[in-house]
Amino acid sequence: AQSVAQPEDQVNVAEGNPLTVKCTYSVSGNPYLFWYVQYPNRGLQFLLKYITGDNLVKGSYGFEAEFNKSQTSFHLKKPSALVSDSALYFCAVRDMDDTDKLIFGTGTRLQVFP
Amino acid sequence: ETGVTQTPRHLVMGMTNKKSLKCEQHLGHNAMYWYKQSAKKPLELMFVYNFKEQTENNSVPSRFSPECPNSSHLFLHLHTLQPEDSALYLCASRSANNQPQHFGDGTRLSIL
């Protein structure tokens, strides 16, 4: 079965430190992977995607993600966290059986402390 | 601003009321989606429309009735809802299936 796992419900990091939000996936074939962020009382905002090409993908607000095929991972990273990065982060993969659909992880809450 | 607009932003209704949620996008996207987001639960896909045709009904109760009159507008008609239907309802749209979905800010629905 296809799935996306975000193993951490919450990640805490001090402002200025690097952050990583983990995501692993299980799909057949080559995955299309996405990261979204959700701020309070808002919808999900697209951050970045991996379709093909360079394994390191750069996105909005200084975020990047590294696609690792052997580890079936797509971790979200940022070199220096900001308090304003505090939000809920979702990893998603395109459903290979129904390409209209995305399979979302359960979300990871990032808390950046001053 | 994602280009997807949902109205109303907040809705409180009784279990016997009938109301509708509206979603509008002028991004030229072909597919539109309804999702339900409840506290401490994964995002639930409810309905998918592709070129105005419904392609997915994810076992959603009949008290939720979607309508897609054209590729820019999507409605979710609500009637006889239950307290467990209280949630954030999100609309999304996308162009091609290798492109990201763009989400609206949702309608926060509370059932009394």
Side-chain angles (χ1 to χ4, degrees), chain A residues 36 38 41-42 99-100, chain B residues 9 33 37 94 97 101:
Chain A
Y36 288 84
Q38 186 177 29
N41 301 312
R42 301 295 301 275
T99 57
D100 279 342
Chain B
R9 290 295 313 277
Y33 302 75
Q37 187 177 32
R94 63 141 181 85
N97 62 20
Q101 294 178 17

Side-chain angles (χ1 to χ4, degrees), chain A residues 1 3 6 18 20 24 27 30 44-45 47 51-52 66 83:
Chain A
S3 64
Q6 293 182 244
T20 299
T24 58
V27 297
N30 295 319
L44 278 67
Q45 293 179 36
L47 277 179
I51 304 297
T52 187
E66 186 168 12
V83 172

Side-chain angles (χ1 to χ4, degrees), chain B residues 35-97:
Chain B
Y35 289 89
K36 177 183 179 183
Q37 187 177 32
S38 306
K40 303 194 186 300
K41 282 188 170 184
L43 201 62
E44 298 175 49
L45 177 64
M46 300 175 72
F47 301 104
V48 181
Y49 278 81
N50 209 338
F51 291 98
K52 300 188 296 178
E53 297 297 320
Q54 185 176 317
T55 58
E56 179 78 22
N57 177 338
N58 206 20
S59 303
V60 179
S62 59
R63 57 185 183 269
F64 295 91
S65 175
E67 179 190 2
C68 188
N70 55 62
S71 58
S72 298
H73 294 87
L74 185 65
F75 296 89
L76 188 62
H77 303 300
L78 316 171
H79 66 98
T80 326
L81 294 193
Q82 305 299 309
E84 62 265 27
D85 297 324
S86 297
L88 181 67
Y89 288 84
L90 293 166
C91 173
S93 70
R94 63 141 181 85
S95 53
N97 62 20

